[in-house]
Amino acid sequence: MDKLHIDYVQYHHLIDRVVRVVEDSGYQPDVILGVSRGGLFLADGLSRALRKPMAVIAASSYREGNGTSQSELQVSASIASVVPLAGKVLLVDDLADSGQTLQALCSHLQQLFPDVAQLKTAVVWVKPSSCFTPDFAAEYLESDVWIVQPFETRDFY
């Protein structure tokens, strides 16, 4: 599989693009909910730019094959947050690959948090094979490349 290597400068530009897309839409979330691990940089950037509190949920489906093969989604039992998860929530991850993680998390959050009035999603990248279309994204990829993000240097790709 082809790999797309992204450095920190490129990554921060992509985060800025997502911030602009959200701002231009007029959407005003009450809470930014970042998916650990990949969504944390984008969630932090959105939280700071929009001046909204950030919460974190852990979810993982890439554990097989040295973390390169998707398997069953595991979601943390709790959310780390200093504010209630309520009102307008922006769920943030790094990418919509198959789309299954975002789709499952949206269902999970809607079932467990009835005070969430509106749930939207934001990612840096959307792959062409994704079954889920996020509300906000920086790039829609034309091919199914493996993205090597700047903070993944310890993953030994």
Side-chain angles (χ1 to χ4, degrees):
M1 177 181 288
D2 291 336
K3 293 182 181 177
L4 174 62
H5 291 265
I6 303 295
D7 64 28
Y8 276 109
V9 171
Q10 292 170 305
Y11 198 69
H12 286 287
H13 284 298
L14 290 165
I15 290 172
D16 289 343
R17 283 175 61 184
V18 176
V19 168
R20 280 192 305 277
V21 169
V22 173
E23 288 176 334
D24 290 349
S25 78
Y27 183 61
Q28 296 282 324
D30 298 307
V31 180
I32 309 296
L33 178 59
V35 180
S36 175
R37 298 183 299 188
L40 294 183
F41 277 93
L42 178 57
D44 179 71
L46 283 161
S47 173
R48 291 172 189 275
L50 301 176
R51 292 174 171 69
K52 300 296 180 180
M54 180 177 146
V56 176
I57 186 168
S60 175
S61 62
Y62 284 92
R63 291 177 307 281
E64 306 297 324
N66 291 332
T68 60
S69 297
Q70 196 169 24
S71 59
E72 183 181 345
L73 178 67
Q74 291 182 330
V75 179
S76 60
S78 62
I79 291 176
S81 182
V82 296
V83 298
L85 198 63
K88 295 179 182 177
V89 175
L90 183 59
L91 177 64
V92 178
D93 205 354
D94 54 350
L95 75 149
D97 189 349
S98 70
Q100 293 174 357
T101 298
L102 284 168
Q103 194 169 49
L105 283 172
C106 285
S107 295
H108 175 79
L109 293 169
Q110 289 167 338
Q111 289 174 2
L112 294 179
F113 297 92
D115 291 336
V116 172
Q118 188 177 44
L119 180 63
K120 291 199 176 199
T121 55
V123 298
V124 177
W125 299 278
V126 179
K127 288 192 176 182
S129 58
S130 179
C131 67
F132 184 89
T133 303
D135 297 287
F136 309 106
E139 289 188 344
Y140 293 83
L141 300 173
E142 293 181 14
S143 63
D144 187 28
V145 298
W146 185 263
I147 301 166
V148 182
Q149 299 178 52
F151 46 85
E152 294 177 325
T153 57
R154 290 175 188 84
D155 289 344
F156 304 109
Y157 287 105

